[in-house]
Amino acid sequence: MSSKHGPPVLVSFGITRECDLECPHCYSDSGERDPEELSTEEAKRVIAEVADLGSKIIILDGGEPALRDDLVDLVAHATDSGLRVVLGSNGMSLTEELVSRLLSAGCGGIAISLDGADSRTHDTFRGLEGGWERTIQGAKNCAKLGMPFQIAPLMYRGNWTQLKDIVEKAKSLGANAVEVFDYVPAGRGKGRSEYELETDQRKRIIDHIIRWQSEGDITYRVIALPQYWVQVEREVPEDEMLEKYTRSCCAAGTRYISILPNGDVIPCMVLQVRLGNVRENSLKELWYDSPILETLRNRDLLKGKCGRCKYRISCAGARCKAYEMTGDMMAEDSTCWFPEDVISED
């Protein structure tokens, strides 16, 4: 077993596919519970393997993790294993009682999905009238009880102009961060190009976030847009960059790995290349010995524009988008907006 590469900083563990929404973009194609879902004891063993691997943070998500009866027990087990535990939730089931129990079990924070600045936008996309109000109430319950939370909007063609208003809503609710996701056509979203942003729209989002982070009092994180960090490196003074900005790059298989409800392991929740299954292989074996991950970690194997880019270590392009567009996870990320004269080696 090779140990040249360090352990993942964080591991995402989708503990269920069950969900009370059927969003068109859902990377895990959630809805019905997977009959092959890991049992409580299996899930606890996987959590122990995450801790043994040397990871610091575990994200319990789904589906909707709050729909799993043993959620609080799993959070407590992860906490006792020495992990920092956070959840990814649609917020609709975050009652005061559940939030209180999660706090007592050691949950360190919750990312709450909010895909619109108003109920019409959010509910239309998520397919449930009244969902926005329930999500907002879940965030309010977190704020009332002192549970740290962030708002996590997915940016797509129908809502990206609302980002500023979503940020203001997050601030008014008491969120400590906004984590912006770019739409990736994976899972249920595969082939749904009508939701994808134009490259110029992505760049404008990044321009806004960089300015807001410089001026603001809330933390911004960006997912599936690693070009964000290139833009930060190019525009922000180094001392300000280190002090205010959260680093972002494609961490699939380098600092991050994802486990699905049936035990399958993939490099990232939206880079859905199967590495193996925790029922058959240890997580440590999959992390250190997978030839797929060995390829992902070798930035010299990147192709096209990404392979020529001087920022290929700090960015690497969105491997998920390259894979979904070409079937090759090392292909060029065609959504990058930087011209050749910017990315070429000096």
Side-chain angles (χ1 to χ4, degrees):
M1 178 178 294
S2 171
S3 59
K4 291 181 180 179
H5 198 84
V9 176
L10 70 160
V11 174
S12 172
F13 183 9
I15 58 175
T16 186
R17 283 188 65 249
E18 184 177 1
C19 189
D20 37 11
L21 295 171
E22 290 193 10
C23 309
H25 71 288
C26 183
Y27 62 83
S28 60
D29 196 12
S30 295
E32 298 294 326
R33 180 177 177 178
D34 189 334
E36 298 299 317
E37 180 175 292
L38 298 177
S39 68
T40 299
E41 290 309 309
E42 286 177 314
K44 285 184 174 181
R45 176 180 60 77
V46 169
I47 289 169
E49 286 191 37
V50 172
D52 183 60
L53 189 56
S55 299
K56 304 299 182 185
I57 304 170
I58 189 168
I59 306 168
L60 301 182
D61 55 16
E64 174 49 51
L67 298 181
R68 183 155 168 158
D69 294 339
D70 57 0
L71 171 62
V72 175
D73 191 20
L74 295 179
V75 169
H77 178 70
T79 300
D80 291 343
S81 299
L83 293 164
R84 180 172 184 267
V85 193
V86 294
L87 302 184
S89 172
N90 62 35
M92 297 198 304
S93 298
L94 296 178
T95 62
E96 286 191 31
E97 177 188 3
L98 178 57
V99 173
S100 177
R101 293 176 63 209
L102 289 169
L103 277 168
S104 296
C107 181
I110 303 178
I112 299 175
S113 299
L114 188 71
D115 294 337
D118 54 66
S119 59
R120 182 186 61 82
T121 304
H122 177 89
D123 291 355
T124 299
F125 187 66
R126 296 215 157 221
L128 180 68
E129 186 176 354
W132 193 80
E133 285 81 3
R134 290 174 61 187
T135 295
I136 295 297
Q137 186 59 54
K140 289 179 177 178
N141 292 339
C142 288
K144 179 179 179 179
L145 296 176
M147 171 70 80
F149 70 97
Q150 65 182 31
I151 294 299
L154 173 86
M155 292 290 97
Y156 67 99
R157 196 170 297 182
N159 76 343
W160 75 276
T161 58
Q162 296 186 7
L163 180 57
K164 179 61 174 176
D165 291 334
I166 293 173
V167 168
E168 293 305 316
K169 187 65 177 179
K171 291 179 180 179
S172 71
L173 290 168
N176 59 21
V178 173
E179 187 168 60
V180 177
F181 287 73
D182 186 24
Y183 177 84
V184 177
R188 191 182 297 136
K190 195 176 186 71
R192 304 293 297 272
S193 60
E194 68 270 23
Y195 292 113
E196 291 186 64
L197 295 175
E198 300 291 337
T199 296
D200 181 64
Q201 293 168 342
R202 293 184 176 102
K203 183 181 183 302
R204 289 169 66 184
I205 287 172
I206 293 306
D207 289 340
H208 289 318
I209 291 174
I210 290 175
R211 186 177 75 253
W212 296 339
Q213 186 66 83
S214 178
E215 300 169 349
D217 54 0
I218 195 169
T219 298
Y220 295 88
R221 301 185 182 93
V222 182
I223 305 298
L225 274 174
Q227 293 83 8
Y228 164 71
W229 193 250
V230 177
Q231 196 94 351
V232 170
E233 285 188 354
R234 288 176 50 79
E235 297 181 0
V236 179
E238 185 174 4
D239 56 346
E240 183 179 350
M241 179 178 71
L242 296 174
E243 179 183 352
K244 293 184 177 181
Y245 291 80
T246 301
R247 189 174 183 84
S248 173
C249 70
C250 183
T254 60
R255 297 185 294 113
Y256 169 84
I257 200 169
S258 184
I259 306 164
L260 301 182
N262 68 349
D264 281 348
V265 179
I266 55 180
C268 167
M269 58 188 181
V270 282
L271 178 53
Q272 299 179 347
V273 181
R274 188 178 183 273
L275 308 177
N277 189 288
V278 293
R279 285 184 169 125
E280 302 162 1
N281 308 94
S282 72
L283 189 59
K284 184 174 291 187
E285 179 183 355
L286 293 173
W287 177 256
Y288 285 118
D289 292 348
S290 167
I292 294 173
L293 295 188
E294 183 178 356
T295 297
L296 266 178
R297 292 165 186 163
N298 188 347
R299 300 310 200 200
D300 291 335
L301 298 179
L302 291 171
K303 299 174 183 177
K305 185 177 177 181
C306 291
R308 298 189 299 273
C309 181
K310 64 183 178 182
Y311 298 104
R312 61 184 175 273
I313 302 299
S314 58
C315 172
R319 296 298 94 216
C320 52
K321 293 175 185 174
Y323 180 72
E324 290 298 335
M325 291 178 181
T326 69
D328 181 354
M329 64 182 185
M330 303 306 286
E332 173 182 309
D333 176 3
S334 62
T335 67
C336 176
W337 56 82
F338 292 109
E340 289 286 344
D341 63 320
V342 169
I343 68 168
S344 61
E345 299 282 358
D346 296 331

